[in-house]
Amino acid sequence: MHLSNINKSLARNEKIAMLTCYDATYAKIMEAEGVDILLVGDSLGMVLQGYSNTLEVTMQDMMYHTKIVASGAKHTPIMADMPYGSYEHDKESALSNAQALLQSGAHIVKLEGGGSMVETAHFLVTNGVPVCAHLGFTPQSVEQLGGYKIQGKTEDAAKVILQDAQAMSDAGVSFVLLEMVPAQLACNITQTIAAPTIGIGAGVDCSGQVLVLQDLLGIYTGPADKEPQAFKAPRFVRNFLSETGSVQSAIRAYVHAVKNKTFPATQHSY
Ligand code: KIV
């Protein structure tokens, strides 16, 4: 399936079900269970490598995991995160790093931030690289944002996110991913911009949803050096494995829940 097929699903008003994926085994399962897009997220720095944030993930890491996901999924579009430090300095190095991810098997890259990143996104798009813009809570800026906090709560903050989303959409991005923003703001953005939105902690009205695989399975318990008991899953997480009993059926249930709009429910939204 190509990104253009996703547009057909969207034209039928069908929600897009995206999941993070980091290896070939899960890629095969996700493809078989109907996941629309596999996200090779830099969340791998937390859920695979055990760090407390995504900042240590390298281009080498992203290329390796993109390659092994691509070896397991032959028909499902793959989105790869541009890691911290790989796109912020200048447009030319952003382009060559984005191209390296496409050469590793990605069909689209994701980068974080609005503002000055709009020009970079436009440069990538005009050079043939499909882009997803990640707005709202942007994990690579966790230090500046003062921790894992909901974004766009005040009228002014919401306005900035809406403006960034509009600018990214006008720049030609294929998707805008909205993380941890009020459901009403995500709904407004989805109704305003041309690009489809993908939500995580952003309410049910986005064009699609994404979850981190380990959260869907209920197996992530925080950084490697912290006690598991100290970890509390964020509000937007739902453990589909405990509801279903197998990895395959958990992923299938997630896809169904996204498509029939029962996930995220109000208790998963802000
Ligand atoms: O890296 C990742 O998994 C992500 C999701 C949180 C959307 O960017």
Side-chain angles (χ1 to χ4, degrees), residues 177-225:
L177 189 146
L178 299 167
E179 179 164 357
M180 283 176 72
V181 298
Q184 187 55 56
L185 172 61
C187 180
N188 293 346
I189 292 172
T190 305
Q191 288 172 353
T192 304
I193 68 173
T197 59
I198 306 281
I200 176 164
V204 74
D205 292 315
C206 293
S207 322
Q209 299 292 329
V210 61
L211 260 192
V212 170
L213 169 68
Q214 280 75 357
D215 286 340
L216 171 147
L217 299 176
I219 57 172
Y220 180 64
T221 56
D225 62 351

mmCIF file of all heavy atoms in Angstrom, residues 177-225:
data_model
loop_
_atom_site.group_PDB
_atom_site.id
_atom_site.type_symbol
_atom_site.label_atom_id
_atom_site.label_comp_id
_atom_site.label_asym_id
_atom_site.label_seq_id
_atom_site.Cartn_x
_atom_site.Cartn_y
_atom_site.Cartn_z
ATOM 1 N N LEU A 177 0.997 15.544 12.662
ATOM 2 C CA LEU A 177 0.775 14.714 13.856
ATOM 3 C C LEU A 177 0.645 15.644 15.056
ATOM 4 O O LEU A 177 1.464 16.542 15.252
ATOM 5 C CB LEU A 177 1.944 13.741 14.031
ATOM 6 C CG LEU A 177 1.760 12.670 15.110
ATOM 7 C CD1 LEU A 177 2.454 11.372 14.677
ATOM 8 C CD2 LEU A 177 2.305 13.113 16.454
ATOM 9 N N LEU A 178 -0.396 15.443 15.848
ATOM 10 C CA LEU A 178 -0.668 16.290 17.012
ATOM 11 C C LEU A 178 -0.561 15.455 18.271
ATOM 12 O O LEU A 178 -1.315 14.488 18.443
ATOM 13 C CB LEU A 178 -2.084 16.879 16.903
ATOM 14 C CG LEU A 178 -2.333 17.761 15.677
ATOM 15 C CD1 LEU A 178 -3.830 18.027 15.494
ATOM 16 C CD2 LEU A 178 -1.562 19.079 15.814
ATOM 17 N N GLU A 179 0.379 15.813 19.134
ATOM 18 C CA GLU A 179 0.580 15.023 20.364
ATOM 19 C C GLU A 179 0.193 15.842 21.587
ATOM 20 O O GLU A 179 0.640 16.982 21.759
ATOM 21 C CB GLU A 179 2.057 14.578 20.474
ATOM 22 C CG GLU A 179 2.309 13.775 21.750
ATOM 23 C CD GLU A 179 3.611 12.993 21.753
ATOM 24 O OE1 GLU A 179 4.349 13.008 20.736
ATOM 25 O OE2 GLU A 179 3.894 12.350 22.778
ATOM 26 N N MET A 180 -0.608 15.250 22.436
ATOM 27 C CA MET A 180 -0.999 15.836 23.733
ATOM 28 C C MET A 180 -1.473 17.285 23.624
ATOM 29 O O MET A 180 -0.862 18.199 24.186
ATOM 30 C CB MET A 180 0.157 15.716 24.734
ATOM 31 C CG MET A 180 0.287 14.322 25.277
ATOM 32 S SD MET A 180 1.709 14.123 26.357
ATOM 33 C CE MET A 180 1.217 15.016 27.789
ATOM 34 N N VAL A 181 -2.561 17.439 22.870
ATOM 35 C CA VAL A 181 -3.216 18.758 22.788
ATOM 36 C C VAL A 181 -4.694 18.543 23.112
ATOM 37 O O VAL A 181 -5.209 17.431 22.948
ATOM 38 C CB VAL A 181 -3.061 19.413 21.386
ATOM 39 C CG1 VAL A 181 -1.617 19.660 21.051
ATOM 40 C CG2 VAL A 181 -3.743 18.591 20.299
ATOM 41 N N PRO A 182 -5.404 19.587 23.544
ATOM 42 C CA PRO A 182 -6.830 19.417 23.847
ATOM 43 C C PRO A 182 -7.591 18.901 22.616
ATOM 44 O O PRO A 182 -7.312 19.315 21.479
ATOM 45 C CB PRO A 182 -7.281 20.833 24.222
ATOM 46 C CG PRO A 182 -6.042 21.523 24.676
ATOM 47 C CD PRO A 182 -4.928 20.949 23.842
ATOM 48 N N ALA A 183 -8.550 18.006 22.881
ATOM 49 C CA ALA A 183 -9.310 17.396 21.785
ATOM 50 C C ALA A 183 -9.992 18.456 20.912
ATOM 51 O O ALA A 183 -10.062 18.320 19.687
ATOM 52 C CB ALA A 183 -10.341 16.437 22.366
ATOM 53 N N GLN A 184 -10.463 19.530 21.548
ATOM 54 C CA GLN A 184 -11.168 20.572 20.790
ATOM 55 C C GLN A 184 -10.222 21.280 19.815
ATOM 56 O O GLN A 184 -10.588 21.569 18.671
ATOM 57 C CB GLN A 184 -11.804 21.572 21.768
ATOM 58 C CG GLN A 184 -12.709 22.594 21.096
ATOM 59 C CD GLN A 184 -13.819 21.946 20.253
ATOM 60 O OE1 GLN A 184 -14.594 21.133 20.753
ATOM 61 N NE2 GLN A 184 -13.888 22.278 18.962
ATOM 62 N N LEU A 185 -8.990 21.510 20.268
ATOM 63 C CA LEU A 185 -8.005 22.150 19.386
ATOM 64 C C LEU A 185 -7.677 21.227 18.206
ATOM 65 O O LEU A 185 -7.636 21.671 17.050
ATOM 66 C CB LEU A 185 -6.725 22.488 20.179
ATOM 67 C CG LEU A 185 -5.532 22.978 19.359
ATOM 68 C CD1 LEU A 185 -5.875 24.280 18.619
ATOM 69 C CD2 LEU A 185 -4.296 23.185 20.252
ATOM 70 N N ALA A 186 -7.467 19.946 18.493
ATOM 71 C CA ALA A 186 -7.148 18.995 17.407
ATOM 72 C C ALA A 186 -8.300 18.919 16.415
ATOM 73 O O ALA A 186 -8.088 18.837 15.190
ATOM 74 C CB ALA A 186 -6.865 17.625 18.004
ATOM 75 N N CYS A 187 -9.524 18.980 16.915
ATOM 76 C CA CYS A 187 -10.708 18.964 16.054
ATOM 77 C C CYS A 187 -10.717 20.216 15.152
ATOM 78 O O CYS A 187 -10.911 20.114 13.937
ATOM 79 C CB CYS A 187 -11.949 18.895 16.945
ATOM 80 S SG CYS A 187 -13.484 18.881 16.029
ATOM 81 N N ASN A 188 -10.468 21.383 15.748
ATOM 82 C CA ASN A 188 -10.435 22.637 14.958
ATOM 83 C C ASN A 188 -9.375 22.563 13.865
ATOM 84 O O ASN A 188 -9.617 22.944 12.722
ATOM 85 C CB ASN A 188 -10.089 23.852 15.834
ATOM 86 C CG ASN A 188 -11.176 24.160 16.832
ATOM 87 O OD1 ASN A 188 -12.277 23.638 16.711
ATOM 88 N ND2 ASN A 188 -10.857 24.975 17.823
ATOM 89 N N ILE A 189 -8.190 22.070 14.246
ATOM 90 C CA ILE A 189 -7.090 21.986 13.275
ATOM 91 C C ILE A 189 -7.482 21.037 12.141
ATOM 92 O O ILE A 189 -7.306 21.352 10.955
ATOM 93 C CB ILE A 189 -5.783 21.524 13.966
ATOM 94 C CG1 ILE A 189 -5.288 22.608 14.925
ATOM 95 C CG2 ILE A 189 -4.706 21.181 12.935
ATOM 96 C CD1 ILE A 189 -4.109 22.203 15.807
ATOM 97 N N THR A 190 -8.055 19.888 12.499
ATOM 98 C CA THR A 190 -8.434 18.886 11.491
ATOM 99 C C THR A 190 -9.459 19.469 10.517
ATOM 100 O O THR A 190 -9.409 19.196 9.309
ATOM 101 C CB THR A 190 -8.990 17.629 12.196
ATOM 102 O OG1 THR A 190 -8.004 17.174 13.141
ATOM 103 C CG2 THR A 190 -9.282 16.511 11.207
ATOM 104 N N GLN A 191 -10.361 20.289 11.048
ATOM 105 C CA GLN A 191 -11.388 20.873 10.175
ATOM 106 C C GLN A 191 -10.866 22.052 9.357
ATOM 107 O O GLN A 191 -11.466 22.435 8.364
ATOM 108 C CB GLN A 191 -12.583 21.336 11.016
ATOM 109 C CG GLN A 191 -13.388 20.169 11.535
ATOM 110 C CD GLN A 191 -14.458 20.573 12.538
ATOM 111 O OE1 GLN A 191 -14.523 21.725 12.954
ATOM 112 N NE2 GLN A 191 -15.285 19.626 12.926
ATOM 113 N N THR A 192 -9.710 22.608 9.777
ATOM 114 C CA THR A 192 -9.225 23.840 9.132
ATOM 115 C C THR A 192 -8.196 23.567 8.033
ATOM 116 O O THR A 192 -8.223 24.214 6.983
ATOM 117 C CB THR A 192 -8.581 24.775 10.206
ATOM 118 O OG1 THR A 192 -9.539 25.013 11.218
ATOM 119 C CG2 THR A 192 -8.120 26.082 9.602
ATOM 120 N N ILE A 193 -7.283 22.636 8.279
ATOM 121 C CA ILE A 193 -6.153 22.488 7.345
ATOM 122 C C ILE A 193 -6.435 21.404 6.304
ATOM 123 O O ILE A 193 -7.271 20.521 6.510
ATOM 124 C CB ILE A 193 -4.815 22.203 8.084
ATOM 125 C CG1 ILE A 193 -4.823 20.820 8.753
ATOM 126 C CG2 ILE A 193 -4.529 23.297 9.104
ATOM 127 C CD1 ILE A 193 -3.468 20.421 9.340
ATOM 128 N N ALA A 194 -5.703 21.479 5.203
ATOM 129 C CA ALA A 194 -5.893 20.486 4.132
ATOM 130 C C ALA A 194 -5.231 19.150 4.474
ATOM 131 O O ALA A 194 -5.744 18.088 4.142
ATOM 132 C CB ALA A 194 -5.316 21.038 2.826
ATOM 133 N N ALA A 195 -4.087 19.191 5.160
ATOM 134 C CA ALA A 195 -3.370 17.944 5.469
ATOM 135 C C ALA A 195 -4.147 17.144 6.513
ATOM 136 O O ALA A 195 -4.695 17.720 7.459
ATOM 137 C CB ALA A 195 -1.975 18.270 6.010
ATOM 138 N N PRO A 196 -4.203 15.808 6.359
ATOM 139 C CA PRO A 196 -4.822 14.992 7.398
ATOM 140 C C PRO A 196 -4.023 15.035 8.698
ATOM 141 O O PRO A 196 -2.797 15.204 8.663
ATOM 142 C CB PRO A 196 -4.818 13.575 6.813
ATOM 143 C CG PRO A 196 -4.049 13.625 5.553
ATOM 144 C CD PRO A 196 -3.704 15.036 5.220
ATOM 145 N N THR A 197 -4.723 14.894 9.826
ATOM 146 C CA THR A 197 -4.047 14.921 11.132
ATOM 147 C C THR A 197 -4.018 13.511 11.725
ATOM 148 O O THR A 197 -4.928 12.718 11.513
ATOM 149 C CB THR A 197 -4.787 15.851 12.116
ATOM 150 O OG1 THR A 197 -6.133 15.388 12.263
ATOM 151 C CG2 THR A 197 -4.786 17.291 11.626
ATOM 152 N N ILE A 198 -2.943 13.242 12.463
ATOM 153 C CA ILE A 198 -2.815 11.982 13.199
ATOM 154 C C ILE A 198 -2.651 12.369 14.663
ATOM 155 O O ILE A 198 -1.768 13.169 14.991
ATOM 156 C CB ILE A 198 -1.543 11.199 12.765
ATOM 157 C CG1 ILE A 198 -1.492 10.982 11.248
ATOM 158 C CG2 ILE A 198 -1.427 9.879 13.530
ATOM 159 C CD1 ILE A 198 -2.338 9.883 10.709
ATOM 160 N N GLY A 199 -3.474 11.807 15.534
ATOM 161 C CA GLY A 199 -3.440 12.224 16.935
ATOM 162 C C GLY A 199 -2.852 11.183 17.860
ATOM 163 O O GLY A 199 -2.960 9.977 17.628
ATOM 164 N N ILE A 200 -2.225 11.685 18.917
ATOM 165 C CA ILE A 200 -1.840 10.832 20.058
ATOM 166 C C ILE A 200 -2.099 11.697 21.293
ATOM 167 O O ILE A 200 -1.457 12.737 21.477
ATOM 168 C CB ILE A 200 -0.384 10.303 19.953
ATOM 169 C CG1 ILE A 200 -0.009 9.502 21.211
ATOM 170 C CG2 ILE A 200 0.637 11.379 19.649
ATOM 171 C CD1 ILE A 200 1.247 8.629 21.058
ATOM 172 N N GLY A 201 -3.114 11.331 22.041
ATOM 173 C CA GLY A 201 -3.545 12.212 23.127
ATOM 174 C C GLY A 201 -4.139 13.490 22.574
ATOM 175 O O GLY A 201 -3.930 14.570 23.124
ATOM 176 N N ALA A 202 -4.893 13.377 21.477
ATOM 177 C CA ALA A 202 -5.439 14.567 20.818
ATOM 178 C C ALA A 202 -6.917 14.368 20.442
ATOM 179 O O ALA A 202 -7.440 15.086 19.595
ATOM 180 C CB ALA A 202 -4.606 14.904 19.577
ATOM 181 N N GLY A 203 -7.568 13.406 21.069
ATOM 182 C CA GLY A 203 -9.004 13.230 20.850
ATOM 183 C C GLY A 203 -9.334 12.433 19.608
ATOM 184 O O GLY A 203 -8.458 12.103 18.796
ATOM 185 N N VAL A 204 -10.610 12.131 19.473
ATOM 186 C CA VAL A 204 -11.070 11.181 18.453
ATOM 187 C C VAL A 204 -11.286 11.834 17.074
ATOM 188 O O VAL A 204 -11.479 11.133 16.081
ATOM 189 C CB VAL A 204 -12.372 10.488 18.948
ATOM 190 C CG1 VAL A 204 -13.574 11.437 18.864
ATOM 191 C CG2 VAL A 204 -12.627 9.178 18.218
ATOM 192 N N ASP A 205 -11.256 13.170 17.031
ATOM 193 C CA ASP A 205 -11.631 13.831 15.777
ATOM 194 C C ASP A 205 -10.497 14.032 14.785
ATOM 195 O O ASP A 205 -10.701 14.611 13.716
ATOM 196 C CB ASP A 205 -12.301 15.178 16.082
ATOM 197 C CG ASP A 205 -13.649 14.954 16.739
ATOM 198 O OD1 ASP A 205 -14.395 14.091 16.259
ATOM 199 O OD2 ASP A 205 -13.941 15.633 17.743
ATOM 200 N N CYS A 206 -9.290 13.552 15.123
ATOM 201 C CA CYS A 206 -8.194 13.615 14.143
ATOM 202 C C CYS A 206 -8.521 12.660 12.993
ATOM 203 O O CYS A 206 -9.362 11.761 13.129
ATOM 204 C CB CYS A 206 -6.879 13.205 14.804
ATOM 205 S SG CYS A 206 -6.331 14.375 16.061
ATOM 206 N N SER A 207 -7.806 12.829 11.876
ATOM 207 C CA SER A 207 -8.047 11.944 10.721
ATOM 208 C C SER A 207 -7.550 10.526 11.001
ATOM 209 O O SER A 207 -7.947 9.580 10.323
ATOM 210 C CB SER A 207 -7.329 12.482 9.485
ATOM 211 O OG SER A 207 -7.387 13.881 9.426
ATOM 212 N N GLY A 208 -6.649 10.375 11.957
ATOM 213 C CA GLY A 208 -6.131 9.055 12.308
ATOM 214 C C GLY A 208 -5.512 9.101 13.688
ATOM 215 O O GLY A 208 -5.491 10.161 14.336
ATOM 216 N N GLN A 209 -5.028 7.950 14.147
ATOM 217 C CA GLN A 209 -4.441 7.847 15.485
ATOM 218 C C GLN A 209 -3.116 7.107 15.408
ATOM 219 O O GLN A 209 -2.902 6.295 14.500
ATOM 220 C CB GLN A 209 -5.371 7.054 16.424
ATOM 221 C CG GLN A 209 -6.734 7.678 16.630
ATOM 222 C CD GLN A 209 -6.688 8.989 17.412
ATOM 223 O OE1 GLN A 209 -5.822 9.180 18.280
ATOM 224 N NE2 GLN A 209 -7.606 9.894 17.102
ATOM 225 N N VAL A 210 -2.251 7.375 16.379
ATOM 226 C CA VAL A 210 -1.014 6.593 16.520
ATOM 227 C C VAL A 210 -0.824 6.262 17.999
ATOM 228 O O VAL A 210 -1.242 7.024 18.882
ATOM 229 C CB VAL A 210 0.215 7.357 15.961
ATOM 230 C CG1 VAL A 210 0.465 8.667 16.680
ATOM 231 C CG2 VAL A 210 1.476 6.473 16.010
ATOM 232 N N LEU A 211 -0.254 5.112 18.265
ATOM 233 C CA LEU A 211 0.143 4.735 19.626
ATOM 234 C C LEU A 211 1.526 4.093 19.557
ATOM 235 O O LEU A 211 1.906 3.545 18.509
ATOM 236 C CB LEU A 211 -0.807 3.691 20.209
ATOM 237 C CG LEU A 211 -1.910 4.117 21.187
ATOM 238 C CD1 LEU A 211 -2.521 2.884 21.839
ATOM 239 C CD2 LEU A 211 -1.426 5.082 22.259
ATOM 240 N N VAL A 212 2.228 4.158 20.656
ATOM 241 C CA VAL A 212 3.490 3.432 20.770
ATOM 242 C C VAL A 212 3.144 1.964 21.066
ATOM 243 O O VAL A 212 2.332 1.674 21.948
ATOM 244 C CB VAL A 212 4.363 4.044 21.891
ATOM 245 C CG1 VAL A 212 5.563 3.160 22.203
ATOM 246 C CG2 VAL A 212 4.816 5.451 21.491
ATOM 247 N N LEU A 213 3.747 1.050 20.302
ATOM 248 C CA LEU A 213 3.443 -0.381 20.416
ATOM 249 C C LEU A 213 3.491 -0.867 21.867
ATOM 250 O O LEU A 213 2.578 -1.555 22.349
ATOM 251 C CB LEU A 213 4.439 -1.174 19.557
ATOM 252 C CG LEU A 213 4.430 -2.686 19.751
ATOM 253 C CD1 LEU A 213 3.128 -3.288 19.247
ATOM 254 C CD2 LEU A 213 5.632 -3.319 19.048
ATOM 255 N N GLN A 214 4.566 -0.519 22.589
ATOM 256 C CA GLN A 214 4.737 -1.008 23.957
ATOM 257 C C GLN A 214 3.646 -0.474 24.882
ATOM 258 O O GLN A 214 3.327 -1.121 25.881
ATOM 259 C CB GLN A 214 6.125 -0.616 24.490
ATOM 260 C CG GLN A 214 7.257 -1.515 24.028
ATOM 261 C CD GLN A 214 7.686 -1.295 22.588
ATOM 262 O OE1 GLN A 214 7.115 -0.485 21.861
ATOM 263 N NE2 GLN A 214 8.702 -2.019 22.153
ATOM 264 N N ASP A 215 3.073 0.690 24.563
ATOM 265 C CA ASP A 215 1.958 1.222 25.361
ATOM 266 C C ASP A 215 0.686 0.431 25.065
ATOM 267 O O ASP A 215 -0.075 0.102 25.972
ATOM 268 C CB ASP A 215 1.725 2.707 25.038
ATOM 269 C CG ASP A 215 2.801 3.601 25.639
ATOM 270 O OD1 ASP A 215 3.487 3.150 26.589
ATOM 271 O OD2 ASP A 215 2.961 4.741 25.168
ATOM 272 N N LEU A 216 0.462 0.131 23.804
ATOM 273 C CA LEU A 216 -0.706 -0.676 23.404
ATOM 274 C C LEU A 216 -0.666 -2.053 24.070
ATOM 275 O O LEU A 216 -1.698 -2.639 24.404
ATOM 276 C CB LEU A 216 -0.714 -0.796 21.878
ATOM 277 C CG LEU A 216 -1.687 -1.748 21.194
ATOM 278 C CD1 LEU A 216 -2.099 -1.188 19.854
ATOM 279 C CD2 LEU A 216 -1.095 -3.123 20.986
ATOM 280 N N LEU A 217 0.571 -2.574 24.266
ATOM 281 C CA LEU A 217 0.717 -3.895 24.886
ATOM 282 C C LEU A 217 0.810 -3.803 26.420
ATOM 283 O O LEU A 217 0.834 -4.827 27.103
ATOM 284 C CB LEU A 217 1.979 -4.598 24.340
ATOM 285 C CG LEU A 217 2.004 -4.861 22.827
ATOM 286 C CD1 LEU A 217 3.335 -5.468 22.406
ATOM 287 C CD2 LEU A 217 0.861 -5.781 22.420
ATOM 288 N N GLY A 218 0.916 -2.577 26.936
ATOM 289 C CA GLY A 218 0.998 -2.391 28.386
ATOM 290 C C GLY A 218 2.286 -2.902 28.995
ATOM 291 O O GLY A 218 2.318 -3.308 30.164
ATOM 292 N N ILE A 219 3.381 -2.872 28.212
ATOM 293 C CA ILE A 219 4.638 -3.450 28.724
ATOM 294 C C ILE A 219 5.725 -2.395 28.976
ATOM 295 O O ILE A 219 6.820 -2.741 29.401
ATOM 296 C CB ILE A 219 5.205 -4.547 27.785
ATOM 297 C CG1 ILE A 219 5.427 -3.997 26.375
ATOM 298 C CG2 ILE A 219 4.283 -5.762 27.764
ATOM 299 C CD1 ILE A 219 6.163 -4.970 25.452
ATOM 300 N N TYR A 220 5.430 -1.125 28.716
ATOM 301 C CA TYR A 220 6.448 -0.097 28.968
ATOM 302 C C TYR A 220 6.333 0.368 30.412
ATOM 303 O O TYR A 220 5.244 0.738 30.861
ATOM 304 C CB TYR A 220 6.281 1.092 28.005
ATOM 305 C CG TYR A 220 7.324 2.159 28.237
ATOM 306 C CD1 TYR A 220 8.671 1.892 28.016
ATOM 307 C CD2 TYR A 220 6.972 3.426 28.706
ATOM 308 C CE1 TYR A 220 9.649 2.860 28.254
ATOM 309 C CE2 TYR A 220 7.934 4.400 28.943
ATOM 310 C CZ TYR A 220 9.266 4.112 28.711
ATOM 311 O OH TYR A 220 10.230 5.061 28.948
ATOM 312 N N THR A 221 7.457 0.334 31.136
ATOM 313 C CA THR A 221 7.413 0.717 32.554
ATOM 314 C C THR A 221 8.439 1.805 32.879
ATOM 315 O O THR A 221 8.967 1.858 33.991
ATOM 316 C CB THR A 221 7.661 -0.510 33.461
ATOM 317 O OG1 THR A 221 8.920 -1.096 33.088
ATOM 318 C CG2 THR A 221 6.558 -1.536 33.343
ATOM 319 N N GLY A 222 8.769 2.657 31.888
ATOM 320 C CA GLY A 222 9.655 3.781 32.163
ATOM 321 C C GLY A 222 11.107 3.473 31.863
ATOM 322 O O GLY A 222 11.451 2.371 31.411
ATOM 323 N N PRO A 223 11.997 4.458 32.104
ATOM 324 C CA PRO A 223 13.417 4.302 31.787
ATOM 325 C C PRO A 223 14.034 3.109 32.512
ATOM 326 O O PRO A 223 13.568 2.717 33.584
ATOM 327 C CB PRO A 223 14.047 5.604 32.283
ATOM 328 C CG PRO A 223 12.926 6.557 32.450
ATOM 329 C CD PRO A 223 11.682 5.762 32.688
ATOM 330 N N ALA A 224 15.096 2.554 31.900
ATOM 331 C CA ALA A 224 15.729 1.339 32.423
ATOM 332 C C ALA A 224 16.228 1.513 33.858
ATOM 333 O O ALA A 224 16.209 0.567 34.641
ATOM 334 C CB ALA A 224 16.883 0.945 31.501
ATOM 335 N N ASP A 225 16.673 2.735 34.207
ATOM 336 C CA ASP A 225 17.275 2.922 35.535
ATOM 337 C C ASP A 225 16.255 3.317 36.612
ATOM 338 O O ASP A 225 16.617 3.670 37.722
ATOM 339 C CB ASP A 225 18.399 3.966 35.456
ATOM 340 C CG ASP A 225 17.887 5.333 35.026
ATOM 341 O OD1 ASP A 225 16.705 5.443 34.626
ATOM 342 O OD2 ASP A 225 18.662 6.301 35.097
#
